[in-house]
């Protein structure tokens, strides 16, 4: 999450990033006095908490409330496992033939907080042909923030791709008010599907790896959304209106892992609490605990070094925003979700040592883990922390926002359902069984 700390310290604001709003090209910045009281309270807390993770002198009160984030603590001491030079990153961000590697270079460069990071991100959004890279680069610009970030995002408010234009509008609104804003398109609901909504998630994380048993040496890989999706799977948040306040499924698929070309499916049933004291949103904290085959090789579906059955836990928390114009079963649909997540993993350092990043960011080359199993607990060496965002999109270009058209291979309880008929292929199985995959 270091990219989320860029430009946020008092020294940087005073010395490196001292531009006024009027100098940034932002025509009409939203004034704090123009925001609602709840928005002002939320932004004031965010300001104090963010500064507190950098310089506690700028925060009053109990440090337990603002200085206890493990990810931030690790970020101060971890060494970068991506040892590419800045020049290499700039070149690969614009010229690498693989869009996943282009995006990874963009995020790594932004994470290093160079003064020209926004300029590089803007070049990518203007010229790259990969749609997902373009909106992921816009998200990186929001993470860098500030009036310069807003000025960059404004350049794409009238982009030919309506999704790029709406992401720009959404990120600008979040930076100015803390709340998202959307365009006026209508929606399309597909009846007969297992889920009322299938929300495509952008996920960015920092993966902190313990390098030895002394707990004094840590490494860090900052995974851009498409890189994370390539390794761990592309995720969809799959809520149903009737149950979304207490449970939902995160359905993941990894492409390129199975030799027969089929998607590797990995579903997580989350349960938790949701605060609905506001009609237009829900604040949630959800946890998942699912049975998984743990691969000691560090690569999904590779039993060459042995396997172990274990229960894997994960936590996600954040806010979803409703769209009253989009109705499902006489209730408003979730238009947008954002939040944070954390969990544990295993990275086989021997497998990745000395390899170029392109050979590290491969399907399944990293597995989730747990500290609570007597056998694999001691193998667990990675802390995973990051942020996610998901917005409903128009996927087929018909001008309508698709609510639930995405293919996800899960029942409402998280079981594998390859034909998407709502009935589990095998009762209780929530992840592809490596023993049944064709050679």
């Amino acid at each position: 999450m270091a990219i989320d700390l860029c430009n946020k310290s008092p020294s940087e604001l005073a010395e490196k990033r001292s531009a006024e709003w009027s100098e940034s090209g932002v025509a009409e910045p939203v004034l704090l006095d123009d925001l609602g009281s709840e928005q002002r309270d939320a932004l004031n807390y965010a300001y104090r908490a963010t500064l507190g993770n950098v310089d506690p002198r700028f925060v009053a009160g109990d440090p337990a409330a603002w200085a206890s984030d493990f990810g931030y603590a690790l970020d101060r001491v971890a060494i970068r496992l991506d040892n590419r030079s800045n020049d290499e990153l700039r070149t690969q961000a614009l010229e690498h033939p693989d869009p996943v590697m282009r995006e990874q270079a963009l995020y790594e460069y932004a994470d290093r907080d160079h003064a020209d990071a926004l300029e590089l991100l803007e070049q990518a959004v203007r010229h790259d042909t990969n749609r997902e890279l373009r909106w992921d680069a816009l998200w990186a610009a929001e993470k860098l923030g500030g009036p310069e970030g807003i000025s960059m995002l404004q350049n794409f408010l009238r982009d030919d791709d309506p999704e790029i234009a709406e992401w720009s509008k959404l990120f600008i609104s979040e930076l100015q008010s803390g709340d998202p804003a959307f365009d006026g398109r209508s929606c399309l609901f597909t009846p007969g599907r297992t889920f009322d909504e299938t929300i495509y998630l952008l996920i960015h994380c920092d993966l902190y790896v313990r390098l030895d048993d002394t707990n004094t040496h840590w490494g860090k890989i900052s995974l851009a959304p498409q890189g994370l999706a390539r390794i761990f799977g592309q995720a969809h948040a799959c809520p149903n209106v009737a149950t979304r306040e207490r449970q939902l499924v995160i359905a993941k698929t990894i492409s390129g892992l199975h030799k027969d070309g089929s998607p590797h499916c990995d579903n997580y049933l989350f349960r938790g609490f949701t605060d609905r004291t506001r009609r237009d949103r829900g604040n949630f904290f959800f946890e998942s605990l699912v049975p998984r085959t743990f691969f000691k090789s560090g690569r999904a579906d590779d039993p060459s070094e042995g396997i172990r059955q274990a229960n894997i836990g994960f936590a996600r928390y954040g806010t979803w925003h409703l769209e009253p114009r989009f109705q499902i079963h006489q209730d408003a649909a979730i238009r947008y979700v954002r939040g944070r997540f954390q969990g544990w993993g295993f990275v086989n350092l021997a497998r990745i040592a000395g390899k170029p990043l392109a050979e590290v960011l491969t399907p399944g080359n990293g597995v989730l883990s747990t500290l609570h199993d007597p056998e694999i607990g001691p193998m667990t060496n990675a802390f995973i922390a990051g942020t996610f965002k998901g917005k409903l999109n128009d996927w087929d270009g018909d001008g309508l926002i698709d609510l639930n058209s995405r293919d996800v291979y899960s029942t409402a309880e998280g079981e594998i359902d390859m034909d998407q008929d709502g009935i589990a292929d095998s009762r209780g199985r929530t992840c592809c069984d490596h023993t049944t995959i064709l050679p």
Side-chain angles (χ1 to χ4, degrees):
M1 294 187 294
I3 189 174
D4 296 298
L5 290 176
C6 293
N7 309 335
K8 310 301 189 297
S9 71
S11 61
E12 287 177 324
L13 291 172
E15 299 171 15
K16 291 170 55 182
R17 310 280 203 266
S18 57
E20 298 288 342
W21 284 94
S22 59
E23 299 173 5
S24 68
V26 178
E28 297 181 358
V30 175
L31 301 178
L32 286 176
D33 290 343
D34 295 333
L35 301 178
S37 59
E38 290 182 332
Q39 290 175 321
R40 289 199 304 271
D41 288 345
L43 287 174
N44 188 41
Y45 173 79
Y47 172 74
R48 295 197 316 270
T50 302
L51 289 181
N53 282 295
V54 181
D55 188 336
R57 294 172 298 176
F58 284 78
V59 179
D62 182 1
W66 47 259
S68 300
D69 191 297
F70 189 52
Y72 286 147
L74 290 180
D75 200 77
R76 298 188 186 100
V77 298
I79 62 172
R80 293 183 183 277
L81 299 181
D82 185 343
N83 58 10
R84 288 176 292 176
S85 70
N86 294 330
D87 288 341
E88 286 179 297
L89 290 174
R90 283 191 293 265
T91 299
Q92 293 187 21
L94 301 177
E95 299 178 9
H96 199 285
D98 183 351
V100 174
M101 295 306 299
R102 294 198 299 273
E103 182 178 298
Q104 185 63 33
L106 283 171
Y107 266 71
E108 175 67 23
Y109 195 77
D111 191 79
R112 297 182 186 184
D113 199 18
H114 293 298
D116 62 344
L118 279 170
E119 178 184 342
L120 184 65
L121 290 168
E122 182 172 355
Q123 288 186 62
V125 180
R126 285 192 183 281
H127 303 298
D128 207 283
T129 57
N130 183 267
R131 189 188 202 192
E132 294 175 43
L133 181 148
R134 297 184 71 211
W135 65 46
D136 289 341
L138 292 174
W139 187 21
E142 182 194 27
K143 287 174 174 291
L144 293 175
E148 298 92 343
I150 292 179
S151 179
M152 180 277 214
L153 290 165
Q154 286 181 328
N155 294 325
F156 302 99
L157 285 171
R158 294 176 177 81
D159 194 87
D160 291 340
D161 186 332
E163 299 307 333
I164 298 298
E166 186 176 64
W167 275 118
S168 301
K169 180 184 180 72
L170 185 156
F171 292 145
I172 290 170
S173 181
E174 286 189 318
L175 287 172
Q176 291 185 324
S177 71
D179 287 340
F182 309 98
D183 62 28
R185 288 176 290 175
S186 299
C187 70
L188 177 66
F189 177 77
T190 304
R193 306 280 280 182
T194 301
F195 297 102
D196 294 335
E197 299 188 65
T198 50
I199 305 171
Y200 188 93
L201 294 179
L202 318 182
I203 305 175
H204 164 250
C205 85
D206 285 328
L207 192 150
Y208 298 99
V209 184
R210 189 176 62 178
L211 299 178
D212 61 32
D213 292 336
T214 69
N215 292 327
T216 59
H217 296 92
W218 295 84
K220 168 191 170 181
I221 300 175
S222 183
L223 287 176
Q226 290 196 74
L228 185 145
R230 175 171 287 180
I231 295 175
F232 293 103
Q234 176 57 56
H236 289 81
C238 306
N240 284 320
V241 169
T243 57
R244 66 190 180 191
E245 295 183 25
R246 61 182 182 272
Q247 77 173 49
L248 89 160
V249 170
I250 299 295
K252 297 196 306 173
T253 56
I254 302 177
S255 300
L257 182 60
H258 295 170
K259 293 181 180 180
D260 67 351
S262 63
H264 175 86
C265 303
D266 188 16
N267 301 328
Y268 293 79
L269 178 64
F270 281 82
R271 290 192 171 99
F273 284 172
T274 302
D275 160 42
R276 289 304 311 280
T277 51
R278 287 189 59 170
R279 290 185 178 180
D280 62 342
R281 68 191 60 184
N283 300 300
F284 61 87
F285 191 107
F286 277 25
E287 293 180 336
S288 180
L289 186 66
V290 294
R292 284 292 181 272
T293 300
F294 178 88
F295 297 92
K296 297 180 182 180
S297 64
R299 186 174 187 273
D301 271 16
D302 177 4
S304 61
E305 298 182 33
I307 61 174
R308 170 79 171 179
Q309 301 303 317
N311 290 319
I312 304 297
F314 223 73
R316 66 192 302 269
Y317 43 101
T319 304
W320 39 257
H321 295 258
L322 297 177
E323 175 57 85
R325 295 190 302 108
F326 296 178
Q327 290 289 307
I328 305 174
H329 309 313
Q330 292 76 53
D331 207 339
I334 296 173
R335 179 89 183 247
Y336 173 64
V337 62
R338 67 187 182 199
R340 297 175 66 181
F341 67 94
Q342 61 188 50
W344 306 100
F346 169 56
V347 177
N348 190 333
L349 295 173
R351 177 189 287 271
I352 69 173
K355 292 185 177 180
L357 195 64
E359 295 182 23
V360 174
L361 300 185
T362 56
N365 197 25
V367 295
L368 299 182
S369 189
T370 177
L371 296 171
H372 295 280
D373 184 90
E375 186 172 341
I376 67 174
M379 299 177 64
T380 301
N381 64 352
F383 176 69
I384 305 170
T387 53
F388 61 87
K389 298 201 170 187
K391 178 180 72 67
L392 293 174
N393 300 310
D394 171 12
W395 290 103
D396 55 9
D398 64 356
L400 299 175
I401 300 293
D402 297 302
L403 296 182
N404 61 339
S405 66
R406 303 290 293 174
D407 287 336
V408 295
Y409 306 102
S410 175
T411 69
E413 299 298 316
E415 297 165 307
I416 297 295
D417 178 17
M418 296 305 296
D419 58 6
Q420 302 183 78
D421 64 354
I423 302 172
D425 296 345
S426 177
R427 182 63 62 87
R429 183 157 63 89
T430 59
C431 183
C432 284
D433 183 351
H434 70 285
T435 64
T436 65
I437 303 305
L438 298 176

